[in-house]
Amino acid sequence: MATPPTVTGEEFRFEVGFKDTVEIRLKSGKAEYFGAELAPEAKYAFSGDNGAIFSWQGCTLSVQGQCQSAYVAGETPMDSYINVHMALQQLRVQAHNGDLSVAPRVMLVGPEDSGKTSLARLLVNYAVRMGERPLFVDLDPSLGSVTVPGTVSATAMGKTVDPESGFMGCATSSSDGVSDVPLVLQFGHEQPDDNTMLFKILVDRLAASIDARMSADNFAAGSGLVVDTRGFTDVNKYDTIEHAVAALRITALLVVGNERMYSIFSTRLQTQARPVTVLRLTKSGGTVDRNATYRRQLNDCIIRQYFNGTAKEPLASFPAVVNFQDVTILRVGEDVRAPSSTLPLGEIRKLTETTVFTVEPDEALSHSVLAVTDAQPPVDGEDDSDGVVGVQALGFVNVTKVDMEKKRFTMSSPVPGRLPKKVLVYGHIKWMETL
Ligand SMILES: Nc1ncnc2c1ncn2[C@@H]1O[C@H](COP(=O)(O)OP(=O)(O)OP(=O)(O)O)[C@@H](O)[C@H]1O
């Protein structure tokens, strides 16, 4: 970019391709990336990303590298976003003063690419900057902001979200003493409606863990939570949101950029046991529509970041060979057994969305991303899914090669040494490392 962008009450918006890297520095003034303050002169490198740097007071930036598009936009919804933040902050103050019932529990809904995650990030960052410790709850399994796609999670936010590594950076740095290791549950699919029953159970499990955490920590309870969801417009998907609103005891639903959804939720949520404020917010003109190919590439980047880190903070990934007999691989909610026609006459097959199956390893396991858990495998003949469904994912491994002859597979893991736990939970998320 020839002239360095200067920004005052405006946004510098940029798009960077997956093969390019753009470095941005704050040369003067103050600026923020979705609510997180930029350090003066620090280098922020973006690749395969779209974003916006906003300044209330004015700033000058230096931009090096090739952006697919870059411009300064004067029209932004930041005034309405800061108003929402201030209203939430007032409630937090009231909650810290003793009335925990008003602690804000906010959920963002809206169509795909309407800017929910960016707004969630901004609200979390503004809260953290006020000394709050909100929980960020990620109910969008499509892009896995905290670990890998195919998961749902809850993270206690002790610091602002790093502009480069995003929410994943918060998940890996608990050394600040206030962030905890996030609670991550393996869903195994990218869309909640790929297995609605399982999704709802996972939301219930998250809600129960959040309640336990909040009842032990009044300050965190007063800071409340910010919940991001998968983008949708289909009326059939409202039910999953309503379930989450009830389970997480949401107090405010922010509908981003969709009049119809706002109107429907305003009516439907009146029947909730607790009152829910429904607000409509304008979609930012900066949000970028991401097609299926882009999302696939983005997913690859997210998984690569989990296993290999970022250019600034690379992580080693460790190979290991695992004998089939040394692990149990489970799968929730899908029948991988023989077809009904081959079952003995009279055997009734119980198929539910949460039935647990043992997976016999074969070539199909190649490139799978498996959750490492301390799940209790069901005892033969019993359908005990309780010990498996909704157990915490302690980490993830990637199967790189399956050797059927030697009955073993090779995997890579972000942690060296042998698998700490022997029960792996399978999902539909695949990743192939490319150099
Ligand atoms: N003001 C902005 N300027 C430039 N890019 C933006 C802005 N706001 C959001 N974006 C980008 O637009 C894209 C979509 O935004 P975001 O991920 O927040 O939407 P979403 O509604 O959460 O999407 P999903 O459909 O995955 O739920 C992202 O790449 C994001 O970085």
Side-chain angles (χ1 to χ4, degrees), residues 11-15 33-34 49-53 71 77 110-119 140 142-143 228-232 284-290 294-295 298:
E11 243 174 28
F12 170 65
R13 295 174 180 161
F14 58 91
E15 287 179 51
Y33 188 75
F34 298 120
D49 210 348
N50 317 304
I53 293 175
Y71 62 99
E112 230 176 47
D113 295 324
S114 53
K116 299 177 295 300
T117 308
S118 309
L119 178 55
D140 178 359
S142 69
L143 291 174
D228 190 20
T229 59
R230 177 81 187 100
F232 71 99
S284 164
T287 55
V288 177
D289 289 340
R290 299 167 295 180
Y294 185 97
R295 280 176 178 267
L298 190 56

Side-chain angles (χ1 to χ4, degrees), residues 385-433:
S385 54
D386 274 0
V388 180
V389 175
V391 292
Q392 180 166 6
L394 304 169
F396 296 85
V397 295
N398 179 222
V399 177
T400 46
K401 201 171 149 216
V402 179
D403 186 337
M404 289 306 290
E405 217 168 283
K406 295 191 173 140
K407 300 212 172 307
R408 63 192 196 186
F409 63 82
T410 312
M411 59 163 213
S412 68
S413 160
V415 182
R418 313 179 94 199
L419 271 175
K421 301 286 175 184
K422 303 295 182 201
V423 182
L424 305 172
V425 180
Y426 185 91
H428 287 267
I429 309 300
K430 299 259 178 184
W431 183 61
M432 188 161 50
E433 186 166 3

Side-chain angles (χ1 to χ4, degrees), residues 355-383:
T355 305
V356 175
F357 301 98
T358 303
V359 176
E360 295 304 330
D362 62 15
E363 299 287 353
L365 203 60
S366 296
H367 311 304
S368 292
V369 175
L370 306 175
V372 180
T373 72
D374 51 13
Q376 299 300 318
V379 182
D380 266 355
E382 283 178 33
D383 176 28

Side-chain angles (χ1 to χ4, degrees), residues 90-104 218 221-223:
Q90 273 179 8
L91 294 170
R92 290 187 185 108
V93 171
Q94 244 178 285
H96 294 316
N97 284 336
D99 185 3
L100 280 178
S101 69
V102 300
N218 274 357
S223 292

